[in-house]
Amino acid sequence: VELEEEGEEGRQLKKKKNKKKQQQQQKGDKKEEIVEPKKGVTTAISVTSITPNLSFFSALSHIIERITGDCEVAKQTNRFPSLIISDGDFPGMMRAKLGSIPSVGISHGQTFAIGVLPDWVKKSSQMRKAWDNQRALNARAAWFTDWQIGSNFVSMETVRKSAVVVRPPMRPEVVEMAKLRKERIE
């Protein structure tokens, strides 16, 4: 999915601008020179996930296909990414690392991979087991990233200098609803 003016309308608009520019240059009219603004182009690519039920060779094949496909798209469009932001897409992060492209992994699951284990989790064997399972699952998403962002409602320190756990702002109506619920229970 491309988020830009590159559809049929975008191509027609570019053709018109280029044609007008050529006409002005032919006339020698340099007063109204059209200068295309320099701006980045955001490209979002929907991808198929690598699931635990894939065999090793199927997963490897999928990873190779994704990386070569991403490279081919960049080559064909002559657009090369300057930053990759992902929710933990392993092939995307590997592509970033192989291409020396800075990358950011961001997701709630990152909290388990980058967060310092809280004392209240350490005290419960069930909570510790659940935390460790989530850490193992989400750690792969951060293997090739330059920066990691976890989102959580609890503030916590991180185990890496390149990581941060951020708290989303609480909307006033959510806070009020929580207060009302607590009053009903008491």
Side-chain angles (χ1 to χ4, degrees), residues 85-98:
I85 301 172
S86 175
D87 64 350
D89 167 48
F90 182 75
M93 296 298 93
M94 188 178 231
R95 159 72 169 100
K97 187 55 79 181
L98 292 172

Side-chain angles (χ1 to χ4, degrees), residues 9 13-15 23 32 41 50 55 60 83 85 100 114 116 121 125 131 133 148 150 152 154 166 178 180:
E9 291 175 359
L13 184 62
K14 275 186 177 179
K15 281 182 182 179
Q23 288 172 346
E32 279 190 51
V41 177
I50 298 175
S55 71
L60 183 62
L83 175 69
I85 301 172
S100 299
I114 64 175
V116 172
V121 173
S125 62
W131 185 281
N133 286 342
Q148 304 80 34
N152 204 313
V154 178
V166 296
L180 292 172

Side-chain angles (χ1 to χ4, degrees), residues 33-52:
E33 188 174 320
I34 298 172
V35 178
E36 293 291 324
K38 291 184 178 183
K39 62 180 179 177
V41 177
T42 302
T43 303
I45 301 173
S46 177
V47 297
T48 305
S49 296
I50 298 175
T51 57

Side-chain angles (χ1 to χ4, degrees), residues 60-72:
L60 183 62
S61 173
H62 179 77
I63 291 168
I64 292 169
E65 184 179 311
R66 274 285 316 289
I67 291 171
T68 56
D70 289 352
C71 292
E72 191 61 35

